[in-house]
Amino acid sequence: MKKIMPSMLITIGALCISLWLFGMFVSAAGANAFEVFHTIYRAAFGSWFSWQNTLVRSAPLMLTALCTAIPARMGLIVIGGEGAMVAGGMAAAIVGVMLHGWSPFIVISGMLLMAAIVGGLWIGAVGALKFYRGVNETISSLLLNYIAIAIMSFLVIGVLRDPTTLNKPSTEHIGEANMIGAIGDSSIHWGLGIGLIVCLVLWFVMRRTTFGFGVDVAGGNMRAAQISGLPVGKMLLIVCFIGGAAAGIAGMIEVAAVHGRANVSLNAGYGYAGILVAFLARHNPAAIIPVAILLGGIQASSGLLQRSHDLPDATALVLQGIIFVIILASESLYGRPILAWFRSARTYKTISSESKV
Amino acid sequence: MSADGVEVFSIIMAVLGGAVRVGTPFLFVSLGELLTEKSGRINLGLEGNLIMGAMAGYAVSYMSGSPWLGVLAAGGTGVVLGLIHALLCQQERVNDIAVGIALMIFGTGLAFFLGKSFIQPQAPRLPAIELGTWSDSPVVRSALEINVLFIIGLLLAPAMAWFFKYSRWGLMVRTVGESKDAALSMGLNVNRIRLYSTVAGGFLAGVGGSFLSLYYPGSWNEGLSSGQGLMAVALVIFARWNPMYCLYASLLFGGAAALGPALQSVGVTSGYYLFNAAPYVLTLGIMIVSSSSYKKLIGLPEELSNFSK
């Protein structure tokens, strides 16, 4: 708890400051800040209908956030979630079309597996380039985003195009029977369930297993981990593969639960928003769940903000940007004396007397 | 000339003209990124500067009637974003790459928010210098319409190379970028120099943005930038942290980006999207070939070495 308390306090404090700044911003734009907050709340969490909208948006965010969060535990900054999502979605659509006629269970499993493998290899390549050639992972994953989008555009316009899709070139439909269905009567699809399970499983792996501990050690000090005999290279490849696989599954969900085909809609910015979720959650897979829901809510509110306050739809993007900047600025607060105040007085004394020695 | 010959000629002219037109924003953003990186920091947020600059340049040009005021305003917004980046990064434990991504989202959102009302009106554009009046061919003429900003960029690249090599300030920026410890022991204020470099880099990226909205494509809308600001980081690696190479690389990337549409205009449609990816594949290839886990990239400022370790 001692470790969780300050980090939660800092995060919540940073969120409050961001909301205050955002309030000032919309006031300057001529809107009533309190009414805007109320609208965001109403559009995001105010009713069962808005909850469904929010949760549907949060499912891919959870998975793309993992693409940044898992490698980040080892000190890598991977921003390739968008590309891995596109690659995974494309792979899922191809498998879905190829396995046409098989039982839906086999088709869906096949799509899930293939999306995870292709997404995993996509970011795994980033890890391999980092380890074997020393190529910076941020830049290579960024470049791979553009390459993935270009390959997808090439495929859906050329070889894999369904000729009936005129305005928006797409692959053929995977078939209604093979779509991931909704949970009960709601409009929430099972993709949310997949997202939750993957987050919780990875939380367990990263926080409760020897492998996760090794990753954290290497993230703290790569050299020390190497000297103490941890297989740093193998771990690097594995964390990148896991992150990419998660983002690949996000692409599969978008194809199998929302669009039914792979097309440019896959490249809708979930990958970049996932980076924000990962940093907000401080790269903790379990914390990603509430943060993704929060961000899904903010994104869901942009339409209503536009309609009821006459604010541009980019308002939600401004709020995301402010939160991201403030959260990063708050990183510098960790380990500062202000926080010692929250710890018990005795621990603080021992710490300060040690530091004098 | 045969029909095929005319087509090939028009493609070549389109690519050459495109290299200049599409390459100019690349040139400004990459020179801005280069300046920042030479001081030992990476600013991944120049995409935000670019879009914000495009919006501010267009808005000010529309309201004041002077596109040059617009260019200045675009640079000004770049200065503000650069300032935020520099001030955040000099705090402890704050990661420059993450701050860059955050500022990219913030700058883009802010530009879309404030620029909503400027999508419709037509603002005065930057003038072009017609160097092709000697020719009767419209293809040649349009390829040789050179914007003044490109000429400024053309002069800026060698000026920056001179700045780094011979000037006192350039040496200071390089020292801070190569070794923080050496800079500190010389009594240099590391954070201050990095702040100036980031702010100046932000200014250049903002000016690059104004080129997008005020000259080519020449209007403001939300799909104006296709990631030129993000590409700047890759372009600087491609150019090995050398301003003159930045110039050549920008022209190359601009030409590569113009090749797709040029091929499409003569009926080659398949493979069009793969040509779009050419600059990215090329940069990735260069990074793979030239870096290794044992030695650093040639030209890489030493303080950026977490970059390839």
Side-chain angles (χ1 to χ4, degrees):
Chain A
M1 278 315 274
K2 262 181 208 154
K3 265 173 79 185
I4 297 175
M5 271 302 280
S7 75
M8 273 189 49
L9 277 170
I10 291 182
T11 308
I12 291 170
L15 276 177
C16 290
I17 293 175
S18 323
L19 286 180
W20 177 71
L21 282 173
F22 178 71
M24 304 265 285
F25 178 77
V26 288
S27 305
N32 181 327
F34 293 102
E35 281 174 18
V36 168
F37 286 134
H38 185 70
T39 307
I40 294 180
Y41 172 76
R42 208 153 48 90
F45 311 109
S47 66
W48 175 227
F49 176 78
S50 46
W51 263 104
Q52 294 183 44
N53 191 1
T54 298
L55 289 175
V56 165
R57 283 165 194 268
S58 67
L61 283 177
M62 287 175 196
L63 292 162
T64 51
L66 288 170
C67 185
T68 300
I70 302 295
R73 298 200 71 91
M74 228 175 133
L76 305 179
I77 301 184
V78 170
I79 56 175
E82 190 87 13
M85 185 173 167
V86 166
M90 198 67 216
I94 294 173
V95 169
V97 171
M98 269 171 44
L99 291 184
H100 221 89
W102 291 65
S103 84
F105 176 76
I106 294 179
V107 178
I108 292 178
S109 317
M111 286 196 292
L112 197 64
L113 195 69
M114 203 56 191
I117 291 174
V118 170
L121 290 177
W122 197 257
I123 302 299
V126 171
L129 287 177
K130 170 85 175 180
F131 184 66
Y132 293 112
R133 299 294 309 173
V135 175
N136 176 267
E137 76 282 359
T138 312
I139 312 297
S140 64
S141 58
L142 171 68
L143 292 170
L144 280 172
N145 283 345
Y146 289 104
I147 294 173
I149 294 164
I151 293 177
M152 180 190 64
S153 306
F154 172 70
L155 289 177
V156 296
I157 280 186
V159 231
L160 294 176
R161 181 173 186 172
D162 176 359
T164 57
T165 53
L166 293 173
N167 294 329
K168 201 182 212 177
S170 313
T171 61
E172 280 174 45
H173 200 282
I174 58 168
E176 284 303 329
N178 299 326
M179 296 282 285
I180 301 181
I183 305 176
D185 303 333
S186 67
S187 62
I188 307 168
H189 53 70
W190 278 105
L192 179 69
I194 300 177
L196 288 173
I197 292 170
V198 174
C199 278
L200 291 175
V201 167
L202 286 179
W203 176 82
F204 184 82
V205 171
M206 301 318 281
R207 299 305 289 265
R208 291 285 180 272
T209 64
T210 334
F211 171 75
F213 181 69
V215 168
D216 281 357
V217 169
N221 189 335
M222 194 73 87
R223 191 87 192 98
Q226 236 159 0
I227 290 169
S228 60
L230 283 169
V232 171
K234 204 191 275 176
M235 281 171 12
L236 200 118
L237 294 182
I238 293 175
V239 288
C240 285
F241 185 89
I242 294 176
I249 293 174
M252 177 267 178
I253 289 175
E254 280 300 287
V255 168
V258 185
H259 305 297
R261 315 162 179 272
N263 54 36
V264 284
S265 309
L266 271 176
N267 167 27
Y270 281 120
Y272 289 106
I275 303 170
L276 167 58
V277 174
F279 273 91
L280 257 170
R282 300 188 54 76
H283 311 307
N284 177 338
I288 281 177
I289 296 172
V291 173
I293 293 173
L294 181 72
L295 214 75
I298 292 176
Q299 294 192 342
S301 68
S302 77
L304 193 61
L305 276 178
Q306 195 176 6
R307 282 195 299 279
S308 50
H309 295 277
D310 204 23
L311 289 168
D313 50 358
T315 314
L317 199 59
V318 174
L319 177 56
Q320 289 175 47
I322 293 178
I323 293 177
F324 204 165
V325 172
I326 300 295
I327 284 284
L328 288 175
S330 76
E331 296 267 318
S332 65
L333 288 177
Y334 286 90
R336 291 265 174 98
I338 322 164
L339 284 167
W341 189 79
F342 296 112
R343 297 187 197 126
S344 72
R346 223 179 99 211
T347 10
Y348 179 43
K349 263 180 203 157
T350 43
I351 288 172
S352 53
S353 62
E354 268 170 18
S355 60
K356 266 175 204 156
V357 175
Chain B
M1 233 186 284
S2 68
D4 281 352
V6 172
E7 278 188 357
V8 170
F9 177 70
S10 72
I11 288 176
I12 291 173
M13 285 320 284
V15 168
L16 288 180
V20 172
R21 263 198 307 268
V22 185
T24 306
F26 273 131
L27 176 59
F28 277 91
V29 184
S30 64
L31 286 178
E33 182 68 37
L34 178 99
L35 183 56
T36 310
E37 289 191 13
K38 276 279 188 188
S39 77
R41 266 195 203 132
I42 301 171
N43 186 355
L44 213 56
L46 289 188
E47 176 76 10
N49 292 36
L50 191 84
I51 298 177
M52 198 58 205
M55 193 283 298
Y58 199 74
V60 169
S61 166
Y62 172 69
M63 290 188 296
S64 70
S66 157
W68 291 106
L69 266 182
V71 173
L72 268 186
T77 57
V79 164
V80 174
L81 286 174
L83 198 65
I84 299 176
H85 186 276
L87 290 178
L88 283 177
C89 288
Q90 67 191 42
Q91 308 301 321
E92 266 178 74
R93 259 187 285 271
V94 175
N95 181 295
D96 52 351
I97 290 180
V99 171
I101 301 166
L103 282 178
M104 179 181 83
I105 295 178
F106 177 66
T108 311
L110 199 61
F112 290 175
F113 185 98
L114 299 173
K116 193 80 182 172
S117 49
F118 294 102
I119 291 183
Q120 283 301 329
Q122 186 59 47
R125 293 173 60 192
L126 287 169
I129 301 170
E130 308 243 352
L131 294 177
T133 39
W134 49 269
S135 167
D136 307 326
S137 158
V139 188
V140 176
R141 274 171 178 245
S142 80
L144 283 177
E145 266 181 22
I146 304 291
N147 185 272
V148 184
L149 271 185
F150 174 72
I151 295 169
I152 295 176
L154 204 60
L155 298 174
L156 195 61
M160 200 182 269
W162 180 88
F163 169 81
F164 283 128
K165 200 160 184 198
Y166 297 109
S167 79
R168 202 176 110 77
W169 276 82
L171 182 64
M172 274 156 64
V173 171
R174 277 195 297 146
T175 311
V176 168
E178 290 296 335
S179 164
K180 193 178 172 179
D181 293 340
L184 282 173
S185 62
M186 282 168 66
L188 297 178
N189 187 335
V190 174
N191 281 338
R192 179 88 43 89
I193 293 170
R194 286 185 177 164
L195 184 128
Y196 290 151
S197 307
T198 313
V199 164
F203 178 86
L204 290 179
V207 170
S210 72
F211 181 90
L212 285 176
S213 62
L214 291 175
Y215 186 69
Y216 183 80
S219 68
W220 159 250
N221 63 66
E222 296 188 353
L224 196 57
S225 163
S226 48
Q228 284 98 326
L230 278 169
M231 272 310 290
V233 184
L235 209 142
V236 171
I237 301 167
F238 192 78
R240 297 299 177 79
W241 292 270
N242 177 334
M244 285 314 285
Y245 291 174
C246 264
L247 172 64
Y248 309 141
S250 301
L251 291 175
L252 186 69
F253 277 39
L259 185 60
L263 284 176
Q264 205 183 24
S265 70
V266 296
V268 182
T269 49
S270 68
Y272 163 63
Y273 281 96
L274 287 187
F275 277 113
N276 280 357
Y280 312 115
V281 177
L282 220 56
T283 309
L284 193 60
I286 293 258
M287 284 179 79
I288 295 169
V289 171
S290 60
S291 48
S292 85
S293 22
Y294 304 108
K295 64 171 205 286
K296 66 171 191 132
L297 282 164
I298 301 162
L300 172 76
E302 195 68 33
E303 282 285 317
L304 287 183
S305 53
N306 62 330
F307 202 81
S308 67
K309 241 181 219 163

